[in-house]
Structure formats: structure tokens, C-alpha cells
């Protein structure tokens, strides 16, 4: 497929994204997981009225749904995932991002190896829950300021390997990579499992607007070299989505082309 560009935002912005020329919207899955059936139908009507779909979702787990440590509850996890994935699919989801730094944070003094074994099992559970809906879950390595497990593409790759399931793969977030001093070469190393990408200007986590503000080109070229051709979502803050969204799309299209 040709590269598709989207923005991580709320459902009410789907008309603006369509106007700006984006290909899809990426939303928080928690924004639909806890809605009543009636409330969810209102969201679905809004999405159905647009040419765009919500092809990706993020913020998978609530912070109190622990998957690492003594409070981990697999039964609650499965129940939550089944309902959340069903609703995500109804809105067009193909990708769901497993970032959820709070849910996967290893408690102090909890053994690291035990924590990783829990995550390996969780990855498998997520894949098995997602598969019937045709959804791929992608592990998002986060910087160490946000969580203390899976902080690099290498660690995310190991998690995907441990899941050993086609419906659990890897995400590259260029913002987190920059904060962890991971260069574009890491994308080349682990690109065979990449299924989704997030991007932001690492200086302030704002929209990417100009080529000179960060070496976006090297990371995008690494994606191309790895054969990646799916989606790139802008995951960043802005005070003017219409202006910055237009600039970001123009920049990404130029760099990709």
C-alpha cells in the first residue's frame, strides 16, 4: 500500500483531517471502550459520515489495568480487550498501539525477569484477542521518563518475537527514539516487524513543521530502506491543528517522496 498519513486526535476532528488531506485518524481506544452503547453509536455515525476511518487506535490500557507486577489481572485484561477491539474494528481499526506506560510499569523491587515474562504472556493474549477482528497490536517502546519496561526498538522486537503471533508486531515512535538516543539504524535492524510509526518534533513534542528542526529525513529513509509502507501518525501537541496539520502533512509527503 502507498504510505498513509494520519493524526492522533479526537473523533470530532475527523472532518478537519479530511479537509487537510490526511488518510485516517488515530484515536484513543479508551475513548470508546467505556461508552454506553448509545454513546458509541453516536461516535460511529460521525465516523460513518466521513470518507476517513479510524484506522489506528492508541492508549490501549487504563493505567489501573496492570499487566506487570503482583496486581496483574489476566481475566480483567481479556474481558476489556474483547470489548475494546470489537468497537475499534467497527470504526475501521487495523492497528492498535500498546503503549500504556502506566499499565506496564514494573513496580519497585519487582523482579525484572518476572515482569518481562508477564509482558511476553500479555503480548500473546493481546494477539489472540485481536486476531478474530483482523487487528494487529503493535508494541510501542516508550522513553524511560514514561515507563521502565520496553524502552527501545530492540526490546520491542524481543517482545514481538516472544509473542510469536502475526497479530503482535512493533511500532517505531521517532519522538521516543530521539529521547532514547536511538538512531535511524535501529529501524533498519528491526524493520521486518514494523507495522506502525509515530512522529513528532522531539523538541517539545509538537508537530513536525520544517526539515531543519530535526533530522526527520534520515528516519524516513531508514523506514523506506526497511521496506515499510503502511502508516505514519503525527502524535504531538499543537495550538493550531489546521495550520500545523497542513504544514506537517506537506513536510512528510515531501520527505517521503
Amino acid at each position: 500500500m502507498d504510505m498513509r498519513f494520519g493524526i492522533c486526535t479526537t473523533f470530532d476532528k475527523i472532518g478537519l483531517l479530511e479537509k487537510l488531506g490526511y488518510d485516517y485518524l488515530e484515536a484513543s481506544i479508551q475513548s470508546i471502550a467505556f461508552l454506553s452503547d448509545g454513546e458509541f453509536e453516536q461516535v460511529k455515525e460521525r465516523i460513518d459520515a466521513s470518507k476517513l476511518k479510524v484506522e489506528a487506535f492508541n492508549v490501549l490500557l487504563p493505567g489501573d489495568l496492570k499487566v506487570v507486577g503482583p496486581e496483574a489481572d489476566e481475566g480483567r485484561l481479556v474481558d476489556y480487550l474483547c470489548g475494546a477491539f470489537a468497537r475499534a474494528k467497527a470504526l475501521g481499526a487495523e492497528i492498535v498501539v500498546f503503549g500504556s506506560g502506566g499499565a506496564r510499569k514494573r513496580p519497585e523491587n519487582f523482579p525484572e525477569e518476572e515482569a518481562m515474562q508477564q509482558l511476553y504472556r500479555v503480548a500473546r493474549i493481546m494477539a489472540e484477542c485481536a486476531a478474530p477482528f483482523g487487528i494487529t497490536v503493535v508494541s510501542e517502546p516508550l522513553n524511560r521518563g514514561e515507563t521502565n519496561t520496553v524502552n527501545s526498538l530492540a526490546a520491542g522486537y524481543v517482545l514481538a518475537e516472544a509473542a510469536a503471533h502475526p497479530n503482535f508486531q512493533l511500532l517505531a515512535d521517532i519522538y521516543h527514539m530521539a529521547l532514547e538516543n536511538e538512531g535511524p539504524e535501529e529501524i533498519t535492524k528491526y524493520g521486518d516487524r514494523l507495522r506502525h510509526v509515530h512522529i513528532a518534533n522531539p523538541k517539545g513534542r509538537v508537530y513536525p513543521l520544517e526539515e531543519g528542526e530535526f533530522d526527520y529525513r534520515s528516519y524516513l529513509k531508514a523506514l523506506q530502506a526497511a521496506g515499510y509502507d503502511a502508516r505514519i501518525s503525527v502524535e504531538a501537541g499543537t495550538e493550531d491543528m489546521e495550520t500545523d496539520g497542513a504544514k506537517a502533512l506537506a513536510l512528510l509527503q515531501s520527505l517521503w517522496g
Side-chain angles (χ1 to χ4, degrees):
M1 60 187 290
D2 293 333
M3 179 56 62
R4 298 172 66 75
F5 298 102
I7 292 181
C8 299
T9 186
T10 50
F11 299 118
D12 61 302
K13 299 297 194 300
I14 196 164
L16 175 58
L17 267 61
E18 186 175 342
K19 173 185 173 182
L20 293 175
Y22 281 88
D23 300 300
Y24 66 93
L25 182 148
E26 178 170 337
S28 161
I29 203 166
Q30 289 185 55
S31 67
I32 57 172
F34 302 109
L35 296 178
S36 69
D37 289 345
E39 290 169 333
F40 176 70
E41 283 305 314
Q42 290 179 357
V43 171
K44 189 173 184 303
E45 287 174 7
R46 179 192 291 269
I47 303 306
D48 288 345
S50 171
K51 294 179 181 178
L52 273 57
K53 299 300 178 188
V54 191
E55 296 180 10
F57 280 86
N58 54 37
V59 196
L60 176 55
L61 302 180
D64 67 346
L65 205 174
K66 303 298 183 183
V67 294
V68 167
E71 297 179 22
D73 185 340
E74 289 186 3
R76 182 185 170 200
L77 175 66
V78 171
D79 288 345
Y80 170 81
L81 291 176
C82 289
F85 288 155
R87 286 187 165 182
K89 185 62 177 180
L91 300 184
E94 296 183 16
I95 294 290
V96 171
V97 177
F98 174 39
S100 308
R104 78 185 204 213
K105 184 176 181 180
R106 176 170 57 88
E108 188 175 356
N109 299 323
F110 191 81
E112 184 175 359
E113 179 58 32
E114 187 174 349
M116 292 312 300
Q117 290 300 320
Q118 286 180 314
L119 278 178
Y120 297 154
R121 179 166 173 77
V122 163
R124 182 75 185 191
I125 289 171
M126 287 181 171
E128 291 174 346
C129 290
F133 300 102
I135 287 173
T136 299
V137 179
V138 288
S139 170
E140 179 179 28
L142 301 173
N143 73 78
R144 282 169 284 186
E146 296 190 15
T147 196
N148 57 7
T149 58
V150 190
N151 304 118
S152 66
L153 280 191
Y157 189 89
V158 169
L159 183 58
E161 289 281 294
H165 195 293
N167 292 76
F168 193 95
Q169 300 292 339
L170 179 62
L171 175 151
D173 187 308
I174 293 171
Y175 165 79
H176 291 293
M177 291 183 69
L179 265 61
E180 290 295 316
N181 297 312
E182 290 187 281
E185 67 277 1
E186 297 302 291
I187 289 173
T188 306
K189 288 181 187 177
Y190 306 112
D192 61 304
R193 281 202 176 271
L194 282 182
R195 299 295 184 274
H196 196 45
V197 172
H198 283 168
I199 193 168
N201 181 350
K203 301 169 186 176
R205 203 172 192 177
V206 293
Y207 279 38
L209 302 178
E210 299 177 1
E211 186 170 357
E213 66 197 18
F214 178 73
D215 187 15
Y216 303 114
R217 182 179 294 274
S218 293
Y219 286 85
L220 267 61
K221 292 303 180 187
L223 289 169
Q224 291 177 330
Y228 181 78
D229 62 352
R231 300 175 183 85
I232 297 178
S233 295
V234 175
E235 185 184 36
T238 179
E239 295 183 358
D240 185 346
M241 181 178 288
E242 184 163 4
T243 299
D244 290 349
K247 290 180 179 179
L249 182 58
L251 174 65
L252 294 174
Q253 288 174 332
S254 173
L255 291 173
W256 192 259

